[in-house]
Amino acid sequence: MLLLFAVRFVRTGIERRFGAMFERLLTGHTNTLLAGLSGTALAVVIQSSAAVALLLTGFAAAGMVGFGFALAGVLGADLGSALVVQLLSFDLRWLMPFLLATGGWLYLKSDRNHTRLNGRIILGIAFILISLQFLREAVDPIRESAFLPAVAGYLSTDYFAAFLVGAALAFVMHSSVAAILMCVALVQVDALPFAAGLSLMLGANLGGALIPIWLTRDLPPVPKRIPLANFLLRGSAAFLCLMVINLFDLSGALLLGQPGQSLVSAHIGFNLLLALSALGIVRHLEKPMSWVLPEQEDEEATTSDLLEPLSPLDAPHGSQAAVAMSSVRQELLQMVARVERMMRPALDLYQNDDPEAIAALLQEDEKVNTQFTDIRRYVARMPRQNMSKSEIKTARSLVEYAIRVEAAGDIVSKRMTGFAKARHDERVQFSAPGWKELSDLHKAVTESFALARHVLLVDDLECARRLVLDKAEVKRMERASRKAHLKRLERGTAESFQSSDLHLETLRALRDLHGHIASVAYPILYRSGQILETRLVTEMKSERVND
């Protein structure tokens, strides 16, 4: 359990700290080899191929990456998780005190969100090393009992049962890295024969490919093709290797040194061969997968016409409520992605007087407004009598979020472009510290878009909490910049006097925009009871009331 906790602790910390960078890394490729290498690098950092598969599936659902490149990234991520097993299998006990002290100090003593996340990552790595040491020590006395040798002996003779046990172990643990590390630890101390470890390892590869399928089960068919294709490739390759190794008795040939290291090498070799052999055909698999998971008619809507899935003359039936809700979510994802594209160059307009760029932003905002109108009409046409209370509440919350996203687009297209024009017209200059504060806040707000899309897509409670915590961090940055700006005014800084109105208004605009985008988290937190309706004190002492 400590190993499972530690792996998740590190993964969530890295996702929260570097989420925006992950998006750029995974969606900016036109070559399948580069996409696979990006997936490998990201899996090494996150220590989870399933997490990378979920990210890529979400990006594919939002139309940000194609099927072939997403599948190449998932295959590369599987290789990356195998490399993680190699790194963690080394004897790094000498690092544990340093990692515990450094990570614990950063995580517990710092008030800055990014510093705490860095501490979380370092602390989680220390926990992984501690759990592996505990596992090795705990297995030593078990080896002398009659139970473990009997089980190990059975698994070494029934390789198919070992294969299924490995798959179940990885799926139940929700981490192929943790499952294979456990197998390596058992093989290293001779508690498990190497041949049984090979079958367990191949089964863990199959179980690891099952995890993204389970986690994306509620998505529309098109993005679900990616984890399913990975499962079919990985599962068939693992089963083929299982049969070849055991039918031809090749386990001895794969034992090249210490059993534990040989098992890790076999795991890396399997994933490397699979990635190299499959990268050349990933683009050609989209058509067969479209036969396995065909598009539903209701999902053929384009970004500009949400009403196309269901005819305007035929109101949706109650049995189609889930499909209709999925269509709304997909359109909302496109809205959020469009506002994000508007947001990224918004601060550059302050430096460059570019009327064409401003006009392009205004055109994008018109598209956002059109999408909002389409969503509102689409939801209004849903027959409430055929929907459950939870479905009605979900539909209402999606419309409310569409209102907030539309308002966020207005902030960029109207307020921020207006501020940019005012700066150029009045030749206003920002002070160097003031401009850095605005740039840092703009970066923090932009990084939250990827998290908001993920929450909208899968209703992730942990990410919803992180989004609200990020909102508090944005407010802290805005408040700190405002105080620093006022201090510069007191010192008589000329640039601060010139840019005072623009600086304060831009801070307020960025804070408001982030509040709109982060509002997707509140319905999830309300449902789980992790947020209050109001921060006002509801009960007061009688003497205070009398006063």
Side-chain angles (χ1 to χ4, degrees):
M1 291 307 299
L2 179 60
L3 178 61
L4 285 175
F5 168 78
V7 171
R8 179 177 175 82
F9 197 69
V10 173
R11 184 178 71 243
T12 53
I14 293 174
E15 286 174 348
R16 294 169 184 176
R17 178 67 177 87
F18 303 105
M21 183 190 72
F22 294 166
E23 179 185 337
R24 293 192 295 271
L25 184 64
L26 292 173
T27 60
H29 300 294
T30 56
N31 182 283
T32 53
L33 179 60
L34 292 177
L37 291 175
S38 298
T40 301
L42 196 52
V44 170
V45 174
I46 299 182
Q47 301 187 2
S48 172
S49 58
V52 177
L54 283 178
L55 285 172
L56 284 165
T57 303
F59 295 152
M64 302 172 65
V65 62
F67 172 86
F69 299 117
L71 182 55
V74 174
L75 291 169
D78 292 322
L79 175 60
S81 69
L83 296 176
V84 169
V85 173
Q86 175 67 82
L87 292 174
L88 295 178
S89 64
F90 291 135
D91 188 2
L92 300 175
R93 285 176 290 183
W94 58 275
L95 264 179
M96 290 190 301
F98 172 75
L99 296 176
L100 278 173
T102 305
W105 183 77
L106 293 174
Y107 185 68
L108 297 174
K109 297 299 182 182
S110 176
D111 294 329
R112 297 186 65 85
N113 186 39
H114 285 176
T115 304
R116 293 187 76 248
L117 288 175
N118 290 333
R120 177 192 181 102
I121 296 165
I122 297 172
L123 198 59
I125 294 173
F127 289 158
I128 291 175
L129 298 177
I130 292 172
S131 65
L132 291 174
Q133 181 180 348
F134 283 169
L135 185 61
R136 296 186 189 101
E137 294 174 354
V139 169
D140 278 337
I142 300 177
R143 282 187 303 167
E144 307 302 327
S145 67
F147 173 73
L148 188 58
V151 173
Y154 173 73
L155 292 179
S156 62
T157 56
D158 191 343
Y159 57 86
F160 189 69
F163 181 74
L164 295 179
V165 168
L169 189 65
F171 182 76
V172 171
M173 298 177 79
H174 262 47
S175 172
S176 60
V177 171
I180 293 174
L181 281 173
M182 180 177 291
C183 294
V184 170
L186 293 172
V187 170
Q188 277 180 337
V189 296
D190 296 326
L192 191 69
F194 177 71
L198 277 176
S199 300
L200 285 169
M201 178 271 292
L202 292 170
N205 277 277
L206 173 69
L210 274 172
I211 298 170
I213 292 179
W214 173 257
L215 295 177
T216 59
R217 63 191 183 279
D218 294 328
L219 293 184
V222 174
K224 284 199 295 187
R225 295 170 185 168
I226 297 162
L228 180 60
N230 178 61
F231 170 75
L232 294 176
L233 285 172
R234 183 162 302 280
S236 58
F239 185 75
L240 179 63
C241 288
L242 176 76
M243 301 304 294
V244 170
I245 289 173
N246 287 278
L247 291 178
F248 295 96
D249 195 18
L250 300 179
S251 58
L254 296 174
L255 184 58
L256 303 176
Q258 293 183 349
Q261 180 56 50
S262 298
L263 185 61
V264 174
S265 300
H267 178 48
I268 295 174
F270 168 77
N271 284 277
L272 179 61
L273 288 175
L274 177 61
L276 292 177
S277 59
L279 282 178
I281 64 170
V282 288
R283 294 186 180 182
H284 304 291
L285 294 177
E286 184 171 9
K287 188 173 182 179
M289 293 309 302
S290 66
W291 296 337
V292 178
L293 283 175
E295 273 190 90
Q296 298 176 359
E297 292 182 2
D298 298 311
E299 291 175 350
E300 293 176 354
T302 62
T303 305
S304 61
D305 190 1
L306 182 62
L307 299 182
E308 198 60 33
L310 295 171
S311 171
L313 303 177
D314 183 19
H317 300 289
S319 62
Q320 295 176 315
V323 174
M325 220 75 73
S326 174
S327 298
V328 174
R329 286 183 187 272
Q330 294 301 313
E331 190 72 2
L332 261 174
L333 281 170
Q334 295 288 349
M335 281 185 68
V336 175
R338 177 165 276 125
V339 174
E340 180 182 4
R341 289 195 295 270
M342 294 168 59
M343 175 64 181
R344 289 188 181 278
L347 213 58
D348 295 337
L349 298 176
Y350 284 55
Q351 293 182 312
N352 305 315
D353 188 6
D354 191 347
E356 293 183 359
I358 293 177
L361 284 181
L362 294 175
Q363 290 178 356
E364 287 295 297
D365 186 54
E366 286 298 322
K367 294 179 181 178
V368 171
N369 295 340
T370 301
Q371 287 180 296
F372 167 61
T373 302
D374 290 343
I375 288 175
R376 187 171 53 184
R377 290 175 178 170
Y378 185 84
V379 173
R381 293 176 55 245
M382 291 182 183
R384 298 299 191 268
Q385 67 275 12
N386 295 330
M387 298 172 62
S388 64
K389 290 183 178 179
S390 62
E391 288 174 337
I392 293 174
K393 186 177 292 186
T394 300
R396 188 182 302 121
S397 67
L398 291 175
V399 173
E400 289 174 354
Y401 187 56
I403 295 172
R404 302 295 293 268
V405 176
E406 192 270 340
D410 288 342
I411 289 175
V412 179
S413 64
K414 295 180 175 62
R415 289 168 62 179
M416 296 189 71
T417 56
F419 301 154
K421 290 178 182 178
R423 185 197 176 181
H424 295 300
D425 292 343
E426 300 171 12
R427 300 181 183 278
V428 174
Q429 295 294 325
F430 289 95
S431 65
W435 182 251
K436 184 180 185 303
E437 291 161 8
L438 291 178
S439 300
D440 290 343
L441 186 58
H442 176 268
K443 180 181 178 183
V445 173
T446 305
E447 288 177 348
S448 293
F449 275 87
L451 198 57
R453 289 199 309 274
H454 177 71
V455 172
L456 177 62
L457 189 66
V458 296
D459 279 358
D460 190 316
L461 180 60
E462 285 296 321
C463 288
R465 286 179 58 85
R466 173 51 45 193
L467 201 53
V468 173
L469 290 174
D470 285 350
K471 181 179 177 182
E473 176 69 9
V474 166
K475 286 185 176 180
R476 186 200 65 77
M477 294 175 67
E478 184 261 345
R479 190 163 52 247
S481 179
R482 184 165 16 98
K483 290 180 179 179
H485 177 73
L486 294 176
K487 288 182 180 179
R488 288 192 292 271
L489 291 179
E490 293 173 359
R491 292 195 299 266
T493 306
E495 293 91 342
S496 297
F497 275 106
Q498 291 180 6
S499 63
S500 183
D501 288 342
L502 285 178
H503 186 95
L504 297 175
E505 288 294 336
T506 302
L507 287 176
R508 190 176 298 112
L510 291 171
R511 183 198 64 192
D512 293 346
L513 191 150
H514 187 272
H516 289 315
I517 296 301
S519 64
V520 69
Y522 286 101
I524 302 171
L525 297 176
Y526 283 136
R527 287 197 302 268
S528 62
Q530 298 200 23
I531 198 168
L532 301 176
E533 293 284 349
T534 176
R535 289 181 290 180
L536 292 174
V537 176
T538 56
E539 295 183 5
M540 300 179 66
K541 295 182 179 180
S542 58
E543 59 268 22
R544 294 292 302 274
V545 175
N546 293 333
D547 290 344

